[in-house]
Amino acid sequence: MISSPIESQLEFFNVMSNKIFVKRRATLLAFATVAFVLLTIPVSPRAQNHLSLKINYRLAMSQPSSHLFEVAIEVEVDPQSTEIAESLDFQMPKWSPGRYAVFDFAKNVQEFRAFGGICPRVNIPCNLPDFPVTRVDDQTWRVSMGRTHSTTITYKVFGNDLSGTFSQLDSRHANFNGGNLFMYVVNHKPDPVNLSIDPPKGWRIVNGRMEKRDQREWRFPNWDIMIDTPTEIAPDWTEDNFTVDGKQYHVMVHSLGKEGGKRGQLVSGIEKIVRAETAMWGPPEFDSYTFLIHFANDGHSGDGMEHLTSTQIIMPGALGDPGQLEEALATAAHEFFHVWNVKRLRPIELGPWDFTRPANTRGLWIAEGITNYYGHLMQRRAGLSTDTQFFKTLTDQIGEVDNSPGSKLMSAEDSSLSAPFIDDAPHAQQTNLPNTSISYYPKGEIVGVVLDLLIRGKTKGKGSLDEVMRRMYQEFYLNGPDATYYLRGRGYRNEDFFRVVSEVAGEDMSDFFKRYVRSVETPPYEEAFAQAGLRFVREPRGPVTVGITADEDEKTNFRIAEVRPNSPAAAAGLEDGDVITSFGGTKLTPANLLRTVSRYKPGDRVPLVVQRDGKTLRPTLTMGPPQLFNFKIEEDPGASAEAKALRAAWLNGK
Ligand SMILES: [Zn+2]
Ligand SMILES: [Zn+2]
């Protein structure tokens, strides 16, 4: 049922051992007496997966200011079943889809209890006897069921982060992402589940699966879909609606600051994005989709997270603040593209998931990087950005990759596999990741734009990356046989993507992927932009390279924050924490660094005076050639009519 090899083996083992176990018991019983045919057969915890269970989740929040969500899970074994569970395992995921760092949600679980039977709804914890609970490991609680058919487990989860991954409950609202609230019953993620929510008085519920106003109960085909449904509960959110291609779109805004009269612009901007993206893909599969948007106004909460029928967007400022409207629209353009790319058309490893260990996928440069590219392109197609702004965004992304030492060491595929370390992962231990890694967002984006323009050039505008994405969606989502319980279709491997690109380009593109996706070569920017009558210009940021950055906390002294690997500073033996008191006779400060080093040319030898651990050192630094560049995309005045037409088709999506 689950695509990762280890999990598949485990599932297979469970099914097999369970069958053998039950069969052996049955044989023994038959020998004992025929009168025992109705006897229930205890099933070992490792073999619970075929038991038929009824699973109800209930969520309450009776004390918002405590930040404690109250969860109850009622589990009933089918009373007709001839088997019962000796015990049931309840497990908190270690991470949740869309963000690939391991957060160990179990760390915020408290007061786990289990009761013998179904507790009356109004009375939690209830008067039923407690069932014994064993903590099996860091994420698993085992409930001994005795010989009964049902249990209610209850626990609380502390949540005070407004984000696309965590949850927040306070006196203003409850905003939750189910992955950090709801334990699954081990081996029963595929089972249908019910959810009922008991909100504080006067608070209204909204999520991407509302069938009616003030709905409080839902039925989900499985646990994975339940946790794909982030939910907002508050007394004062607003809703605006529009329709595109017969589909309903809802824009929920919870403003925790002043809106400055900009909500209308936000909603009309989102509608333009929806029109631009559905123009490329065709109408989406859902009937209704909800943008859940927060303007947190706390200066730090910011996020965007994709779901099947909704997205959570969190901006750190107020809607009325400069730039927040534009940032929210940029995030919406990215997240809405995920409706197709990653939520439905998905790498094979991304759904269903094994939440006992991090996700390992080679495809995030497609799932996130290419989405990043289209998020930017779609703002241009929607008329929300100009050609100049779009080109500037592209060169910023190119600069981020090309100027990063990590991009010379880490390929797009390696970056995808490193997601658990680089996707917002907290690090107590110091790492060298800033110098050794590159994010799959810009790395995938630049592969995407180069690929798009090369395909358009090779096919004289008949093919494009748009066409690749549509064919992938058709083949793997719409028309692929269902591979698992989780969702329609099946996941793809990178090789599938390479094949479809070659089909659309009309030639074998495997060399491209070998060099720019599986290796760390610099993509052919000049050649790609030339297809659209554009010149790609690379300019050194300065005449020379030293390879140091200043500690910004110090104003009068130049204390080194970082030494760039393979730079003149590294060759001279400089170290982070060193204070440079003299640079060729000049007292160095963070403010005069550029002015001071610009006096030199590559190859010049500069005597330094450096303070380290109370000692004075006098190394000599040899100035190096430029290592950092600025990039520009300019119109080529001599561009052919053909190239200009290709550019227009690319920018306008026609
Ligand atoms: Zn809210
Ligand atoms: Zn994304």
Side-chain angles (χ1 to χ4, degrees):
M1 299 286 259
I2 290 184
S3 51
S4 69
I6 289 177
E7 185 79 0
S8 304
Q9 281 169 17
L10 203 65
E11 293 275 331
F12 178 75
F13 171 79
N14 283 344
V15 172
M16 292 307 289
S17 64
N18 193 43
K19 275 186 185 146
I20 292 162
F21 179 71
V22 172
K23 197 173 161 196
R24 195 177 295 147
R25 286 294 299 236
T27 315
L28 286 173
L29 288 169
F31 274 112
T33 164
V34 286
F36 276 84
V37 282
L38 292 176
L39 184 76
T40 50
I41 302 170
V43 177
S44 74
R46 283 181 59 80
Q48 304 159 353
N49 54 339
H50 78 301
L51 277 175
S52 173
L53 300 182
K54 204 170 126 192
I55 306 171
N56 293 324
Y57 289 81
R58 294 156 54 186
L59 182 67
M61 48 211 80
S62 62
Q63 311 253 0
S65 55
S66 70
H67 315 300
L68 291 171
F69 288 91
E70 298 141 44
V71 182
I73 311 175
E74 303 165 349
V75 183
E76 287 178 85
V77 182
D78 178 359
Q80 305 302 314
S81 170
T82 54
E83 294 163 358
I84 55 166
E86 279 179 346
S87 63
L88 288 174
D89 286 355
F90 294 84
Q91 203 160 58
M92 205 66 175
K94 285 192 164 282
W95 58 280
S96 64
R99 178 143 301 120
Y100 301 96
V102 169
F103 292 115
D104 286 312
F105 301 129
K107 70 175 77 153
N108 270 354
V109 170
Q110 63 187 69
E111 298 167 64
F112 186 103
R113 288 180 72 180
F115 299 94
I118 302 301
C119 291
R121 297 221 152 194
V122 288
N123 192 6
I124 297 249
C126 65
N127 297 326
L128 294 170
D130 273 64
F131 271 164
V133 175
T134 312
R135 184 84 179 252
V136 178
D137 59 29
D138 58 340
Q139 63 177 147
T140 316
W141 285 256
R142 178 166 296 164
V143 174
S144 300
M145 296 285 288
R147 301 190 67 80
T148 64
H149 274 90
S150 62
T151 184
T152 303
I153 71 151
T154 65
Y155 58 91
K156 293 175 185 168
V157 179
F158 179 87
N160 195 20
D161 292 285
L162 181 56
S163 95
T165 298
F166 306 110
S167 296
Q168 185 166 63
L169 173 63
D170 60 26
S171 52
R172 305 168 303 175
H173 68 171
N175 180 276
F176 73 79
N177 297 290
N180 66 74
L181 285 189
F182 300 128
M183 296 186 188
Y184 48 84
V185 184
V186 173
N187 292 325
H188 287 272
K189 268 195 285 156
D191 297 10
V193 294
N194 296 311
L195 170 66
S196 66
I197 301 175
D198 183 11
K201 198 165 182 297
W203 290 24
R204 292 177 302 135
I205 306 175
V206 59
N207 63 33
R209 294 184 185 272
M210 301 297 284
E211 281 151 21
K212 58 175 195 279
R213 237 180 123 70
D214 294 321
Q215 186 175 343
R216 290 184 175 197
E217 307 212 340
W218 288 262
R219 182 164 177 81
F220 298 99
N222 52 61
W223 179 90
D224 307 72
I225 302 292
M226 177 171 70
I227 67 150
D228 184 66
T229 309
T231 299
E232 165 71 8
I233 309 166
D236 57 347
W237 47 264
T238 59
E239 185 179 334
D240 293 271
N241 304 307
F242 60 87
T243 307
V244 175
D245 296 329
K247 314 282 185 184
Q248 298 291 319
Y249 292 88
H250 311 283
V251 181
M252 187 291 301
V253 177
H254 195 195
S255 276
L256 302 171
K258 294 214 179 342
E259 293 196 334
K262 291 187 182 171
R263 185 141 45 81
Q265 273 175 279
L266 176 71
V267 176
S268 69
I270 289 174
E271 182 172 347
K272 286 177 188 159
I273 288 163
V274 167
R275 289 186 186 279
E277 298 193 6
T278 52
M280 173 188 144
W281 287 103
E285 199 195 27
F286 48 67
D287 295 324
S288 133
Y289 183 92
T290 304
F291 292 85
L292 298 162
I293 306 177
H294 275 83
F295 290 92
N297 197 28
D298 62 2
H300 67 89
S301 298
D303 209 348
M305 187 56 73
E306 65 277 7
H307 298 280
L308 285 162
T309 57
S310 63
T311 176
Q312 286 249 58
I313 294 173
I314 295 143
M315 304 308 300
L319 176 53
D321 292 348
Q324 290 293 285
L325 168 69
E326 294 74 15
E327 280 295 313
L329 289 173
T331 308
H334 176 103
E335 300 307 331
F336 190 65
F337 199 84
H338 276 316
V339 161
W340 297 270
N341 193 31
V342 94
K343 286 315 300 183
R344 290 176 174 82
L345 169 64
R346 58 201 185 272
I348 191 158
E349 303 89 352
L350 295 190
W353 298 266
D354 173 359
F355 291 109
T356 64
R357 59 188 193 126
N360 279 286
T361 173
R362 294 173 191 278
L364 287 176
W365 64 276
I366 302 173
E368 285 297 352
I370 286 182
T371 297
N372 227 38
Y373 164 54
Y374 274 107
H376 295 140
L377 177 57
M378 288 297 173
Q379 290 174 71
R380 165 60 189 81
R381 288 187 185 171
L384 297 171
S385 68
T386 62
D387 292 358
T388 311
Q389 287 169 322
F390 175 50
F391 296 159
K392 168 79 168 63
T393 305
L394 289 178
T395 51
D396 285 349
Q397 301 286 316
I398 290 169
E400 193 177 333
V401 173
D402 252 52
N403 288 323
S404 141
S407 78
K408 312 288 187 293
L409 299 176
M410 184 178 273
S411 72
E413 270 197 351
D414 279 343
S415 175
S416 302
L417 288 168
S418 303
F421 309 143
I422 62 181
D423 188 15
D424 268 5
H427 297 289
Q429 171 200 24
Q430 223 181 95
T431 74
N432 201 26
L433 287 167
N435 291 320
T436 58
S437 69
I438 180 75
S439 161
Y440 41 82
Y441 285 84
K443 190 98 168 178
E445 171 155 9
I446 62 167
V447 169
V449 63
V450 168
L451 203 49
D452 196 4
L453 292 174
L454 291 180
I455 295 170
R456 287 171 189 270
K458 285 175 196 299
T459 59
K460 306 227 173 300
K462 290 200 186 68
S464 62
L465 191 59
D466 298 11
E467 178 62 16
V468 171
M469 300 310 289
R470 282 190 293 261
R471 280 203 202 182
M472 290 287 291
Y473 183 65
Q474 287 277 340
E475 179 176 339
F476 289 91
Y477 183 71
L478 291 179
N479 301 333
D482 296 354
T484 72
Y485 71 87
Y486 163 60
L487 199 64
R488 191 167 165 176
R490 65 198 163 98
Y492 62 83
R493 296 181 196 281
N494 281 353
E495 290 73 12
D496 297 311
F497 184 78
F498 302 164
R499 169 178 58 76
V500 174
V501 167
S502 296
E503 285 168 12
V504 172
E507 65 179 72
D508 181 9
M509 295 285 287
S510 51
D511 188 55
F512 180 96
F513 294 108
K514 201 169 109 198
R515 294 168 66 182
Y516 311 121
V517 171
R518 296 202 152 148
S519 183
V520 295
E521 285 188 51
T522 302
Y525 302 120
E526 288 84 355
E527 184 193 347
F529 288 107
Q531 310 300 318
L534 297 167
R535 282 204 313 229
F536 180 75
V537 183
R538 184 189 305 255
E539 289 168 344
R541 277 199 191 163
V544 289
T545 295
V546 178
I548 47 175
T549 54
D551 184 338
E552 287 171 4
D553 293 338
E554 300 230 7
K555 297 288 175 251
T556 50
N557 289 324
F558 190 101
R559 185 183 293 279
I560 298 177
E562 257 178 273
V563 176
R564 189 180 165 93
N566 306 313
S567 67
L574 296 182
E575 198 174 322
D576 50 301
D578 287 353
V579 175
I580 303 176
T581 50
S582 166
F583 194 96
T586 302
K587 178 172 166 35
L588 206 59
T589 67
N592 73 5
L593 173 71
L594 281 180
R595 206 169 347 118
T596 308
V597 304
S598 301
R599 293 183 202 140
Y600 298 92
K601 57 183 191 309
D604 286 353
R605 289 168 59 78
V606 185
L608 307 184
V609 181
V610 172
Q611 302 297 322
R612 181 189 297 168
D613 296 333
K615 294 193 191 81
T616 301
L617 310 173
R618 298 180 184 280
T620 300
L621 183 141
T622 305
M623 287 294 200
Q627 286 184 334
L628 299 179
F629 296 87
N630 290 324
F631 301 92
K632 275 195 300 196
I633 295 169
E634 300 174 338
E635 278 196 40
D636 179 354
S640 67
E642 207 183 11
K644 285 181 185 167
L646 194 143
R647 186 199 311 162
W650 170 50
L651 294 173
N652 298 312
K654 301 207 173 85

